[in-house]
Every structure is written in structure tokens, then in C-alpha cells.
């Protein structure tokens, strides 16, 4: 189980880096960069929080990572579509990598750009062996030391709220990952 978890974390790390590099440099990510700048999340913030861009393509991540098909599916990065082909789980979205409390990447939250025809504004990773929405708090990896030192935590709604608190010097903010606050979160 430890070896499998390590393999999955390694694949998630590859995906975080791939999506992050795309946001910073890919021509098709210009609209995503403009959107983030408009929200006050310029390049320094994108780098600090390792934000990414999932291109609006069927399988660029899956082809680029050159990782075993089953591992991509197990990590929630891809799925097998009706035609039996591997398809990326996130397309045309700004991505917020979600880390566990130790700082290991375990999932993604993705937001479509304004004007998208996709009815789902946010899409989050499905549950996997390394990620459970009901037990993972976005930002806990950055906030846990301050939470302990101040004996206080601020739970907010979204990824950008957490980033805003951290940028304002309030480094004890966390958010649930697309689910209501549960007893497991607490």
C-alpha cells in the first residue's frame, strides 16, 4: 500500500508540474493567465500555489506524462471513455492543486473560465485511494503551523479565498474541497 501510494503521489506531482508549466508558458493558457491576473492572482501567486491550466483537449496530459494507463485512472487524472480511449479528467480549466497535510499532491479543483459553455463552474477530483473530499482541507499544508501557533483556524469556501487570506498574512485559512464541512474535516 505504501508503494502504491508513493507511485500515485509521484504521478500527481508530475501532473501538478505539467499543468503548472502549461499555465506559465503555453500559448493556449493566455486566457487563463488573463483571468487569474484579473482576480489579483498574478504570476507570483500562480507560482507560490502551483496553479495550473488544463488545455481544452481530450488527452494531452495522458499522452504527455507517459504513465501507465491504470495509474492515471486510479489517480483520477483520466478515465476511459465510451470508445475505450483514455481521456483527461480536466479540460479547459484553471487548476488548483490540492495537497494533503504533509504537502503531497493528491487532487485538483478546476474552474472554467468565464464565458465557457460548461455548466459546471467547478470540477473537483473524484475520490481516489489518496484523496477523500470529506477529509481533505485545501490549504492545510500551508496553514497547519499557524493554526497550531494561534490555536485558531478560519474555514472559508473556496480556493481563491484561502489564497487571499494567505496573501493578506492570515496563514491559518483552509477550505473544504467542493463539499460541505464534515466531521472528518474537523
Amino acid at each position: 500500500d505504501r508503494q502504491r501510494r508513493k507511485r500515485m503521489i509521484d504521478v500527481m506531482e508530475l501532473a501538478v508540474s505539467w499543468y503548472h508549466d502549461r499555465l506559465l508558458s503555453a500559448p493556449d493558457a493566455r486566457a487563463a493567465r488573463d483571468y487569474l491576473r484579473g482576480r489579483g492572482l498574478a504570476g507570483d501567486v500562480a507560482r507560490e500555489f502551483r496553479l495550473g491550466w488544463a488545455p481544452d483537449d481530450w488527452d494531452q496530459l495522458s499522452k504527455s506524462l507517459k504513465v501507465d494507463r491504470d495509474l492515471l485512472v486510479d489517480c483520477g487524472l483520466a478515465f476511459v471513455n465510451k470508445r475505450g480511449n483514455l481521456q483527461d479528467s480536466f479540460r479547459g480549466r484553471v487548476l488548483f492543486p490540492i495537497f494533503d497535510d504533509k504537502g503531497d499532491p493528491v487532487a485538483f479543483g478546476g474552474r472554467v473560465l468565464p464565458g465557457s459553455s460548461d455548466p459546471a463552474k467547478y470540477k473537483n477530483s473524484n475520490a481516489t485511494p489518496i484523496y477523500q473530499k470529506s477529509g481533505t482541507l485545501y490549504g492545510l499544508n500551508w496553514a497547519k503551523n499557524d493554526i497550531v501557533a494561534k490555536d485558531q483556524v478560519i474555514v472559508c469556501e473556496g480556493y481563491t479565498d484561502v489564497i487571499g487570506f494567505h496573501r493578506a498574512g492570515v496563514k491559518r485559512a483552509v477550505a473544504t474541497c467542493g463539499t460541505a464541512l464534515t466531521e472528518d474535516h474537523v
Side-chain angles (χ1 to χ4, degrees), residues 73-152:
V73 171
D74 290 347
C75 288
L77 296 170
F79 62 94
V80 178
N81 64 22
K82 292 178 185 176
R83 293 185 178 176
N85 297 322
L86 202 58
Q87 185 173 323
D88 293 346
S89 295
F90 294 97
R91 295 178 37 218
R93 293 179 181 272
V94 171
L95 294 180
F96 297 85
I98 299 168
F99 302 92
D100 66 13
D101 61 333
K102 294 181 292 294
D104 291 329
V106 294
F108 288 98
R111 190 203 191 283
V112 295
L113 297 178
S116 171
S117 61
D118 190 327
K121 184 176 176 181
Y122 283 95
K123 178 179 180 179
N124 297 293
S125 291
N126 294 325
T128 69
I130 60 172
Y131 173 68
Q132 297 297 317
K133 274 191 227 186
S134 63
T136 305
L137 290 166
Y138 178 76
L140 184 58
N141 56 307
W142 300 301
K144 65 182 179 182
N145 291 337
D146 277 6
I147 291 169
V148 170
K150 304 266 191 217
D151 195 27
Q152 183 184 51

Side-chain angles (χ1 to χ4, degrees), residues 20-83:
H20 182 63
D21 289 344
R22 289 205 55 91
L23 175 68
L24 296 180
S25 61
D28 70 329
R30 180 185 256 326
R33 290 188 296 267
D34 291 345
Y35 165 76
L36 289 169
R37 261 188 234 103
R39 298 279 316 259
L41 306 173
D44 60 328
V45 177
R47 285 176 186 85
E48 181 180 355
F49 292 92
R50 301 185 66 197
L51 306 183
W53 168 249
D56 196 9
D57 197 359
W58 294 103
D59 58 2
Q60 276 194 40
L61 174 78
S62 298
K63 286 182 177 177
S64 296
L65 292 189
K66 298 180 182 7
V67 172
D68 181 68
R69 175 183 181 121
D70 291 337
L71 201 48
L72 288 170
V73 171
D74 290 347
C75 288
L77 296 170
F79 62 94
V80 178
N81 64 22
K82 292 178 185 176
R83 293 185 178 176

